[in-house]
Amino acid sequence: MTVFAAAMDRIFTHPSMATAALWISATTSEERPIRVIRRAPDRITEFGTGRFVSDTTIVDVRVYDLPDPRPGDLIVIGADSFTIQGEPIRDRERLIWSLDLRPS
């Protein structure tokens, strides 16, 4: 295990950094508990001369916890349910997925 992987494990197990969630597959109905780091940056989209600001929800998940997320899969965080939209993106070290979510 690399030093970076060990640091990511510590971050994802820390209760102030990550939160418990549930992943549900859209195709097989398989369920798996995971830990996620939730981010909600504003996204600016330009259309013609207008600029639109929209809320987004992005979560980071360890590849170890969720090896093969797919668009359409469900992520449940507390009482909130989200659907993965778009293709999941892995970081440079191939340890973390970034998942773009929409409320479901």
Side-chain angles (χ1 to χ4, degrees):
M1 175 183 289
T2 66
V3 173
F4 187 73
M8 287 296 100
D9 286 343
R10 289 195 60 155
I11 289 171
F12 274 89
T13 56
H14 195 280
S16 295
M17 294 293 294
T19 186
L22 180 67
W23 167 79
I24 303 170
S25 172
T27 55
T28 62
S29 297
E30 177 186 357
E31 294 183 4
R32 177 179 300 160
I34 58 175
R35 303 259 322 151
V36 299
I37 295 176
R38 189 173 179 175
R39 299 181 282 141
D42 288 341
R43 184 173 290 160
I44 297 174
T45 306
E46 295 188 19
F47 183 75
T49 59
R51 292 178 57 171
F52 301 95
V53 178
S54 58
D55 296 333
T56 62
T57 302
I58 298 172
V59 295
D60 293 331
V61 182
R62 290 183 294 185
V63 172
Y64 173 80
D65 289 341
L66 190 56
D68 193 24
R70 302 258 183 220
D73 289 353
L74 193 66
I75 304 285
V76 180
I77 305 169
D80 300 326
S81 296
F82 301 93
T83 302
I84 298 174
Q85 64 180 3
E87 288 297 320
I89 300 170
R90 280 193 287 186
D91 69 333
R92 188 174 69 125
E93 301 295 325
R94 314 303 257 175
L95 298 173
I96 307 295
W97 287 110
S98 288
L99 307 175
D100 189 9
L101 305 179
R102 65 175 167 79
S104 53

